[in-house]
Amino acid sequence: MSAVVYVPRDAAALSLGAERVARAIEQEAAARNIDLTVRRNGSRGMYWLEPLVEVVVDGERYAYGPVRAQDAPALFDAEFLRNGAHPLQLGPTERIPYLSSQQRLTFERVGVIEPSNLEDYVAHGGYRGLRNALSMQPAEVVQAVTDSGLRGRGGAAFPTGLKWKTVLEAQAPQKYVTCNADEGDSGTFADRMLMEGDPFALIEGMTIAGMAVGASRGFIYLRIEYPHAHRVLTEAIAAAYRAGYLGADVLGSGRAFDLEVRLGAGAYICGEETSMLESLEGRRGEVRVRPPLPAIKGLFGQPTIVNNVISLASAPLILDRGATFYREYGVGRSRGTLPIQLAGNIKRGGLVERAFGLSLRELLYDYGGGSASGRPLRAVQIGGPLGAYVPASQFDTIIDYEALAEIGALLGHGGVVAFDDTVDMARMARYAMEFCALESCGKCTPCRIGSTRGVEVIDRILKDVDRAKNLELLEDLCETMVEGSLCGLGGMAPFPVRSALRHFRDDFLRSG
Amino acid sequence: MNKPIEQIVREHADRPGSLLLVLHAVQREYGYVPPDAVPVIADVMNLSRAEVHGVISFYHFFRRRAPGRHIVQICRAEACQSMNADALAAHAQQRLQIGFHETTADGRFSLEPVYCLGNCACSPAVMIDEELHGRVSPGRFDELIGELEAES
């Protein structure tokens, strides 16, 4: 019988040499006349252990990592195919505490299955949700999503079921389901991991959405920076068409759902939903004035669902195991699980999917193990470049929508970027304005001009030019941007700036 | 011999909202969107030149000049900054002797900033052509560049 070894093809694992590791294991097996199959999975999301190699022994998976290509001969010498002892040996993968303490629902299959292997997906519970949805009335499907308590995981946290209900009730000859896969926030990679590790979950989720609201066409708007995800999605969509899960007659239901991937072109603003719709229509990604909401008048003027990857990929399990199963996870109004991405200056970065309720401290120290540099952590930025900086004194805050809002922070897409005590928070504040200026679509003045003025004002503060007056001016400018911008880019770029001013004022007061 | 622009445009133009598809296809073929492609695209798609130009110039990804043979992108976003990406960026400019948005005199490398490659747990991140690299130290950067220099 052929031995089975898993080596991830996840982009981050590849960035650490996973391809060379896979080749080295194959070559070493050939040289030793060992019958061996290398399967390519997604990542388990323990990135300090990547490339993480798993072997299957008596149906259980055992891990070794981080493996370099040059480790291959020694691993064979140590009989790693029989879980032999070796310095890189980690034991049964699912008993590694980082993983075993998680509640993987949306990421249940990521790192486990072969991503674009449809049979593997179905064997692991895939497409049960769609089959259930097809046996229900559309309104019942929408009700299940509403009852689950799922809120948009892209950042805005809008109740997903409510959005779907609006599209269902809209009357139009053509409706659309669009997936916002323009995951541009620094510190976030959950969408990428899911698309690369379990693309059918997204495809199934979008199909369920289409059936629920009566939309026969779907688009995945994928950022150009994700070529690996593009390849996997393209393969998976083709496989779904071949097997009748997509196309003119989804699973013999007589209902159509067509799906295609469209690539972005390096504009951060296209993660804003109306800008994304403009881009999908082939135009400059300038934000639209709301109302009308996309659910009423969206893509090509038709009722359109715009949901994030994780929101859509959560639909299959809600339809499979029921709304109650999902809502039993979580606290207060934050129901279900949240895939948190732990990034930046952290010893054990990766993906942590847990029911809402984990504190920042538990995340950063119990999971993250503190900073990568070994120095004390000084701050984290939550929710990407428009998210607030949270100082170490607030690390006992619980990571959910409401608790973070109470301290003036936002969960966003769930990315947490750690900084050690060498970080200059005035510089980070300046960067927030700089980034906003770079990515502003230009439609509204507070964002377009305000961000450039913001950089200039911070520069004057740092150079000690009329410091007191300019600090006041910066506060004033932030308020104008928050109150007057059309969308979240200009409206939220002041959040990191204000939080840096509030918690790290001394960094602005060093004489220039 | 590159495929004529007009042929590329006609292959994609009938799909809904296809201007980005067309521009991607042109850039895949030529490495950039040549200025003389603009009137052709506008003509076939029944758009004004200004509309086509407006879209090209809006998106960071579309290039209006021919790039080097290898495109080196260095992530400059926060997670990478927390792991000294600024020092890496300075090193890269020194090593390649060019600034961002520039191409080496021998036409081998173009250096571009990028804002997040989704590799934030393995910072700092670099993408060379379509290959992603994580935890890139200045030394590792030199190795990667050295490998490409040895190739050509």
Side-chain angles (χ1 to χ4, degrees):
Chain A
M1 209 183 90
S2 180
V4 176
V5 174
Y6 285 87
V7 183
R9 196 181 269 154
D10 168 274
L14 293 175
S15 86
L16 301 171
E19 195 62 38
R20 288 193 299 281
V21 170
R23 295 287 85 79
I25 288 172
E26 281 172 346
Q27 282 164 14
E28 197 61 32
R32 292 170 188 243
N33 271 320
I34 294 171
D35 182 17
L36 178 149
T37 307
V38 175
R39 293 204 183 134
R40 307 303 296 271
N41 52 342
S43 172
R44 298 275 192 164
M46 299 182 285
Y47 281 117
W48 78 102
L49 295 175
E50 291 288 2
L52 183 86
V53 171
E54 292 176 85
V55 297
V56 182
V57 183
D58 298 330
E60 191 164 14
R61 283 161 71 157
Y62 294 83
Y64 293 82
V67 176
R68 298 163 305 167
Q70 59 264 41
D71 294 322
L75 284 169
F76 278 90
D77 289 344
E79 304 239 13
F80 83 121
L81 295 176
R82 293 193 193 86
N83 185 31
H86 182 278
L88 299 178
Q89 183 185 32
L90 299 163
T93 314
E94 285 174 11
R95 275 185 251 164
I96 297 172
Y98 197 93
L99 205 53
S100 64
S101 60
Q102 296 191 31
Q103 289 150 317
R104 290 244 170 142
L105 298 184
T106 310
F107 280 74
E108 190 176 20
R109 284 175 294 259
V110 175
V112 176
I113 63 168
E114 288 182 281
S116 41
N117 181 337
L118 181 55
E119 285 163 24
D120 213 6
Y121 179 68
V122 171
H124 285 81
Y127 278 117
R128 288 203 299 243
L130 177 62
R131 286 183 193 280
N132 287 343
L134 287 172
S135 70
M136 296 158 71
Q137 291 300 314
E140 293 172 340
V141 178
V142 172
Q143 192 60 45
V145 174
T146 304
D147 292 343
S148 76
L150 178 66
R151 291 163 73 180
R153 296 286 189 254
F158 188 81
T160 306
L162 199 53
K163 200 181 266 188
W164 288 23
K165 187 165 186 277
T166 309
V167 179
L168 171 65
E169 289 170 356
Q171 299 298 318
Q174 176 72 58
K175 300 177 188 178
Y176 295 98
V177 177
T178 61
C179 171
N180 185 340
D182 195 45
E183 185 178 50
D185 288 353
S186 176
T188 64
F189 45 83
D191 295 351
R192 179 188 61 69
M193 266 185 72
L194 188 115
M195 291 185 286
E196 290 175 359
D198 192 15
F200 290 111
L202 173 59
I203 296 167
E204 183 185 353
M206 291 185 73
T207 312
I208 291 170
M211 298 298 126
V213 303
S216 61
R217 287 203 75 167
F219 292 93
I220 299 170
Y221 185 83
L222 177 68
R223 63 200 301 260
I224 189 78
E225 292 85 351
Y226 283 181
H228 305 81
H230 186 212
R231 195 188 61 214
V232 178
L233 281 172
T234 305
E235 287 169 9
I237 288 172
Y241 267 105
R242 280 196 302 274
Y245 289 99
L246 287 172
D249 183 16
V250 172
L251 287 179
S253 65
R255 294 148 81 185
F257 192 69
D258 283 300
L259 180 61
E260 65 174 288
V261 179
R262 289 283 178 98
L263 291 173
Y268 175 77
I269 188 62
C270 291
E272 193 282 332
E273 62 177 3
T274 62
S275 162
M276 184 195 84
L277 295 172
E278 286 292 306
S279 188
L280 272 174
E281 292 183 17
R283 286 197 288 272
R284 294 162 65 88
E286 288 180 9
V287 302
R288 296 178 182 171
V289 179
R290 282 173 297 200
L293 295 170
I296 305 286
K297 201 164 179 286
L299 188 63
F300 303 113
Q302 303 301 316
T304 302
I305 289 182
V306 185
N307 276 153
N308 164 259
V309 174
I310 303 299
S311 315
L312 287 163
S314 300
L317 95 116
I318 292 167
L319 270 297
D320 175 18
R321 287 182 242 178
T324 311
F325 170 83
Y326 191 77
R327 62 166 309 118
E328 275 170 3
Y329 292 87
V331 290
R333 289 179 55 229
S334 299
R335 308 311 308 181
T337 58
L338 174 73
I340 303 167
Q341 301 119 87
L342 187 50
N345 196 330
I346 195 86
K347 195 186 275 175
R348 297 194 295 261
L351 184 108
V352 179
E353 181 178 1
R354 293 260 310 221
F356 285 93
L358 189 70
S359 76
L360 270 174
R361 189 176 305 285
E362 289 169 297
L363 177 73
L364 294 166
Y365 295 98
D366 296 352
Y367 282 97
S371 72
S373 60
R375 302 183 64 94
L377 290 176
R378 187 168 187 230
V380 294
Q381 186 178 30
I382 307 176
L386 311 176
Y389 286 97
V390 176
S393 60
Q394 294 184 332
F395 282 175
D396 287 316
T397 307
I398 301 297
I399 307 168
D400 72 32
Y401 300 119
E402 281 71 29
L404 286 171
E406 264 173 43
I407 62 161
L410 279 156
L411 180 52
H413 184 44
V416 176
V417 177
F419 293 84
D420 73 12
D421 63 352
T422 61
V423 65
D424 178 344
M425 294 305 299
R427 251 185 92 185
M428 299 316 295
R430 184 187 188 280
Y431 172 80
M433 286 291 189
E434 201 185 350
F435 183 73
C436 181
L438 190 68
E439 298 296 337
S440 175
C441 82
K443 184 153 178 164
C444 71
T445 315
C447 174
R448 185 183 67 242
I449 307 289
S451 51
T452 299
R453 292 291 100 89
V455 173
E456 294 164 359
V457 173
I458 294 174
D459 279 343
R460 286 202 291 274
I461 293 168
L462 296 181
K463 286 184 190 137
D464 202 7
V465 178
D466 291 335
R467 188 171 267 163
K469 264 169 71 183
N470 278 302
L471 279 166
E472 205 178 317
L473 187 60
L474 183 58
E475 288 285 3
D476 200 50
L477 179 67
C478 284
E479 191 180 321
T480 302
M481 289 175 70
V482 170
E483 299 299 326
S485 297
L486 263 182
C487 82
L489 180 52
M492 287 163 61
F495 290 9
V497 179
R498 282 176 152 173
S499 61
L501 277 169
R502 188 161 62 241
H503 300 297
F504 306 98
R505 204 170 184 86
D506 286 353
D507 287 17
F508 293 81
L509 305 180
R510 294 190 194 117
S511 51
Chain B
M1 186 62 196
N2 292 108
K3 202 188 269 189
I5 302 280
E6 190 177 331
Q7 189 187 334
I8 298 174
V9 184
R10 290 196 188 282
E11 281 170 8
H12 299 276
D14 60 337
R15 292 165 70 192
S18 60
L19 182 53
L20 261 76
L21 290 171
V22 165
L23 295 172
H24 274 299
V26 170
Q27 183 155 305
R28 259 197 308 279
E29 183 74 16
Y30 290 85
Y32 68 118
V33 183
D36 55 6
V38 174
V40 182
I41 295 168
D43 188 42
V44 177
M45 297 188 68
N46 198 22
L47 296 168
S48 72
R49 291 180 195 193
E51 283 171 297
V52 178
H53 173 81
V55 170
I56 295 169
S57 58
F58 183 86
Y59 294 96
H60 300 303
F61 178 75
F62 295 127
R63 293 181 198 96
R64 284 173 278 175
R65 281 198 308 262
R69 287 198 294 286
H70 299 291
I71 292 159
V72 179
Q73 294 178 305
I74 298 185
C75 180
R76 312 218 57 194
E78 291 91 339
C80 286
Q81 287 184 43
S82 80
M83 292 298 282
N84 299 321
D86 286 351
L88 177 67
H91 173 83
Q93 294 179 69
Q94 185 78 37
R95 171 68 179 79
L96 297 173
Q97 289 292 301
I98 49 173
F100 282 103
H101 306 289
E102 291 178 6
T103 299
T104 53
D106 61 4
R108 195 176 264 165
F109 298 105
S110 291
L111 186 62
E112 295 180 352
V114 66
Y115 295 87
C116 198
L117 294 164
N119 201 17
C120 321
C122 313
S123 294
V126 169
M127 180 116 81
I128 301 181
D129 302 326
E130 284 201 346
E131 201 168 326
L132 184 61
H133 304 276
R135 298 193 197 119
V136 180
S137 61
R140 178 72 186 133
F141 183 83
D142 290 350
E143 278 173 28
L144 292 168
I145 295 299
E147 284 168 22
L148 292 172
E149 283 175 337
E151 267 175 26
S152 47

